[in-house]
Amino acid sequence: KTYEVCVAAMQQNKHTFQWVPNEHQTPEMRLTAVQEDGSNIVHIHDEHRTPELRLIAVQEDGFAIQYLAHEHRTPELCLIAVKNIGYAILYLTREQRTPEVCLAAVYSTRRALQFLTPEQKTLQIYAIAYANYGIEKISDLIDYLASFV
């Protein structure tokens, strides 16, 4: 695979990026690939994953957060990931699951509620889940409210 062949392949089909060797990847190729599909960040060596590329990847595909090193998962990126797709909360550590991130995940999809710990399931989170989607198991809400009595 020569550089020229890689460039020609990328111009014809953006999905060929996964087969471009790291030594032939240019900053422009990386940017285009991540803009097309955020999960392409997995095909970029960590030393080439700029803050801009990480942001674009997570904005394009919230699941791209799983491919980022934990030290690069800023609170902002975690929030963007779950706003993009609530299920991205699955890839976040307990420390990364701030109240704001948990709320955004449930706002994105009520099914994110099932991945929260009992301590993370606040009245505000239940209210969002109920108001936006209805709660499948109303008994969850009743149990939560009963804990205050």
Side-chain angles (χ1 to χ4, degrees):
K1 298 176 193 173
T2 67
Y3 171 76
E4 292 76 22
V5 169
C6 293
V7 169
M10 283 283 298
Q11 287 173 341
Q12 269 199 296
N13 184 345
K14 304 287 189 252
H15 300 289
T16 59
F17 180 74
Q18 62 185 317
W19 294 291
V20 176
N22 287 302
E23 63 270 12
H24 294 319
Q25 292 179 6
T26 65
E28 295 78 24
M29 276 185 190
R30 293 182 193 112
L31 178 61
T32 300
V34 170
Q35 286 172 331
E36 291 290 320
D37 181 352
S39 67
N40 273 327
I41 195 100
V42 74
H43 304 296
I44 300 171
H45 274 204
D46 200 45
E47 65 268 12
H48 298 297
R49 294 179 185 179
T50 64
E52 177 191 20
L53 283 179
R54 292 190 292 264
L55 174 62
I56 292 168
V58 172
Q59 285 174 329
E60 201 288 316
D61 180 358
F63 284 140
I65 196 85
Q66 69 184 302
Y67 304 119
L68 303 182
H70 286 274
E71 62 269 15
H72 293 149
R73 295 180 186 184
T74 64
E76 176 192 20
L77 288 181
C78 293
L79 185 60
I80 291 168
V82 299
K83 281 183 175 180
N84 182 300
I85 183 161
Y87 288 112
I89 200 160
L90 288 167
Y91 300 105
L92 303 181
T93 65
R94 190 177 289 249
E95 294 76 31
Q96 293 165 336
R97 295 178 181 198
T98 65
E100 185 180 18
V101 166
C102 292
L103 187 62
V106 172
Y107 191 81
S108 174
T109 176
R110 71 173 156 79
R111 294 192 186 275
L113 194 61
Q114 67 186 312
F115 305 114
L116 303 182
T117 65
E119 299 79 36
Q120 293 168 329
K121 294 177 183 177
T122 65
L123 183 56
Q124 184 180 21
I125 285 178
Y126 274 112
I128 291 294
Y130 183 74
N132 288 347
Y133 304 101
I135 294 179
E136 282 183 3
K137 292 174 55 183
I138 196 71
S139 61
D140 284 347
L141 179 58
I142 293 169
D143 290 344
Y144 176 79
L145 295 173
S147 70
F148 290 102
V149 179

